[in-house]
Amino acid sequence: MANREVLFKRINNALFDMQAATSQTFEQHFLTFARLLADSSLQDLNQKLTVNLDVERFLEASSRSQGSMVGSARLAWPESADAVLGLQWLLVQKFAREPGGLLDFAHTYYTVGRNFTGELHSLTRQLLIPFARDYKDYVMAMEQSHVAASVSSAADSIGSGPAQITYHINGNNVRVNNHSVDKSTNIINIGADFREYIDGLRQVIQSLTDAQQKQEAMEIVNAVEAQLATPKPSKTVVSTLLNALPHVASIATLASAIISGL
């Protein structure tokens, strides 16, 4: 799914459904939750998050904490926040494959007595909701970092020294760069509507208070502008770039307008 907001809205909806479910209906919503977290668009990030993690070894180590009293067991979380997040993702996928073990897991580590529905709700509140929140932050941060790195790499590829180059330019939406090393004058011909949207994005971004976030967002807008100036802008590339911008309502509105116009 290219639209991250839609994906995470569906994840949140599954969480809401789990909070209202009974022990008889919980599994359906949990499986939806697990399937969304394993969406193909997240495959690379999930592989990176879970590399070298062993959920079975984690559960075995956790089981050794259980004493004679009900509710004494504790999950053996590692110190690394990313490792915790990766193990939580693996736990969700494990119980999606083995839903019969989910209730025992909830009873062992999220005990509220023998109230099965209550224990599943406890699992949702204490594990699944915090995990979904942190997982979304992780995905957004990784993708924004990737976009910023791509923009920086593209800028570095221009070169560090002046050179005299003759360009033969033709076609629609041509782009001309004068003095193309940093401090350059860029003339980019894009449609009037797109120009208005790009200018609007820059105005909104200028109002952001976080300096680093503002700088990264500006680099993304520059990359979007460059893509729109090509003869055949890639809707997928533009959408991916725009989805990496800060989640502000006015930015979302302008981004949607740009994508709709492609």
Side-chain angles (χ1 to χ4, degrees):
M1 293 183 184
N3 193 324
R4 285 285 179 259
E5 285 304 312
V6 171
L7 177 61
F8 283 106
K9 182 178 180 180
R10 292 177 179 173
I11 289 174
N12 285 336
N13 288 342
L15 287 169
F16 292 143
D17 292 338
M18 282 188 279
Q19 291 180 81
T22 66
S23 58
Q24 287 83 10
T25 60
F26 186 89
E27 181 180 316
Q28 171 194 349
H29 306 304
F30 179 80
L31 292 177
T32 298
F33 178 70
R35 185 176 65 253
L36 291 167
L37 292 168
D39 186 84
S40 60
S41 69
L42 298 170
Q43 182 177 358
D44 291 343
L45 289 176
N46 288 334
Q47 288 178 346
K48 181 176 181 179
L49 184 64
T50 58
V51 66
N52 297 326
L53 295 177
D54 188 331
V55 69
E56 298 300 336
R57 183 178 299 176
F58 165 73
L59 287 172
E60 181 182 353
S62 299
S63 68
R64 293 195 289 269
S65 69
Q66 187 168 9
S68 58
M69 294 181 58
V70 174
S72 61
R74 298 289 183 273
L75 289 167
W77 298 116
E79 293 184 3
S80 166
D82 283 354
V84 170
L85 200 62
L87 284 169
Q88 290 171 338
W89 188 90
L90 289 171
L91 279 172
V92 171
Q93 300 308 316
K94 171 183 171 61
F95 290 119
R97 297 188 303 271
E98 307 167 11
L102 185 60
L103 192 56
D104 287 340
F105 177 79
H107 178 65
T108 301
Y109 297 104
Y110 298 92
T111 310
V112 292
R114 293 302 298 181
N115 183 332
F116 294 148
T117 296
E119 287 175 339
L120 291 172
H121 289 175
S122 176
L123 170 73
T124 303
R125 290 192 305 271
Q126 297 185 59
L127 176 65
L128 301 182
I129 291 176
F131 160 65
R133 175 199 64 209
D134 295 341
Y135 180 77
K136 178 179 180 180
D137 289 344
Y138 169 82
V139 170
M140 294 304 185
M142 291 295 291
E143 292 190 337
Q144 186 166 338
S145 175
H146 176 72
V147 170
S150 298
V151 171
S152 177
S153 176
D156 290 342
S157 69
I158 294 175
S160 57
Q164 182 174 348
I165 303 173
T166 300
Y167 294 96
H168 300 281
I169 303 172
N170 54 61
N172 298 324
N173 298 325
V174 295
R175 176 179 180 179
V176 180
N177 296 318
N178 297 325
H179 315 300
S180 62
V181 179
D182 218 8
K183 298 183 180 178
S184 61
T185 302
N186 296 324
I187 304 171
I188 299 177
N189 293 326
I190 60 178
D193 289 342
F194 285 146
R195 168 57 56 202
E196 181 180 351
Y197 299 146
I198 290 293
D199 290 345
L201 285 174
R202 288 197 171 106
Q203 290 177 12
V204 176
I205 291 168
Q206 284 293 350
S207 68
L208 298 176
T209 56
D210 187 311
Q212 182 176 356
Q213 185 183 48
K214 183 187 300 185
Q215 179 182 351
E216 292 174 351
M218 282 296 188
E219 290 174 346
I220 293 171
V221 172
N222 291 341
V224 171
E225 184 180 41
Q227 180 63 216
L228 294 175
T230 62
K232 294 182 179 180
S234 168
K235 189 171 184 177
T236 299
V237 171
V238 172
S239 297
T240 301
L241 288 166
L242 291 172
N243 284 330
L245 288 171
H247 301 293
V248 177
S250 52
I251 289 179
T253 300
L254 290 165
S256 296
I258 291 173
I259 294 170
S260 298
L262 291 174

